[in-house]
Amino acid sequence: MNGTSEIKEVLDKAITAMPEDLRLIFTFRNKMKLETKEISFLLQITESEIEEKEQQIKELILNQINQNYEPDKLFEFNLIYCDSIVNRVMDEINKLENK
């Protein structure tokens, strides 16, 4: 399983485990791209309540990620991308030195 499908599985698990009200807000915001005002109207709760619930959603997802990944493995640095950047920087430095 590659990293993308792994993280999708972890997110799906976190979303499925959410209480229904949080899952609805997550779906309205992230899948349907509704604004806070629209979600507020649909769920008949205040915009500030939605913002509080969105914070809860973030915490639940972060907790789920932390349960499944070690922090140093989560944001693994891929060195193959580093080489090209270092080479370009060194080329620019060499150009400056040769002026």
Side-chain angles (χ1 to χ4, degrees), residues 41-58:
F41 176 77
L42 289 171
L43 298 180
Q44 294 298 296
I45 59 175
T46 66
E47 291 182 33
S48 62
E49 286 176 294
I50 291 170
E51 291 166 3
E52 289 171 19
K53 289 179 184 288
E54 285 180 327
Q55 186 60 40
Q56 292 174 10
I57 291 167
K58 290 175 189 175

Side-chain angles (χ1 to χ4, degrees), residues 62-73:
L62 185 58
N63 287 338
Q64 189 70 43
I65 290 170
N66 287 333
Q67 288 175 11
N68 287 274
Y69 292 97
E70 297 172 29
D72 61 331
K73 301 286 186 209

Side-chain angles (χ1 to χ4, degrees), residues 8-99:
K8 183 181 180 324
E9 187 176 308
V10 170
L11 287 172
D12 286 345
K13 186 176 178 180
I15 294 163
T16 302
M18 284 179 195
E20 185 178 13
D21 61 333
L22 298 182
R23 197 169 47 249
L24 279 171
I25 291 170
F26 181 87
T27 301
F28 288 152
R29 171 75 77 212
N30 296 289
K31 306 254 182 203
M32 299 175 73
K33 307 294 186 205
L34 298 181
E35 298 292 326
T36 304
K37 185 178 256 185
E38 296 168 305
I39 299 169
S40 172
F41 176 77
L42 289 171
L43 298 180
Q44 294 298 296
I45 59 175
T46 66
E47 291 182 33
S48 62
E49 286 176 294
I50 291 170
E51 291 166 3
E52 289 171 19
K53 289 179 184 288
E54 285 180 327
Q55 186 60 40
Q56 292 174 10
I57 291 167
K58 290 175 189 175
E59 290 169 8
L60 287 171
I61 291 172
L62 185 58
N63 287 338
Q64 189 70 43
I65 290 170
N66 287 333
Q67 288 175 11
N68 287 274
Y69 292 97
E70 297 172 29
D72 61 331
K73 301 286 186 209
L74 186 59
F75 299 105
E76 198 171 285
F77 187 68
N78 196 336
L79 294 177
I80 62 166
Y81 299 110
C82 184
D83 289 344
S84 66
I85 294 170
V86 169
N87 289 336
R88 286 196 320 238
V89 169
M90 292 307 295
D91 287 346
E92 292 301 316
I93 290 172
N94 287 331
K95 286 178 190 175
L96 291 173
E97 288 178 345
N98 292 329
K99 283 187 174 185

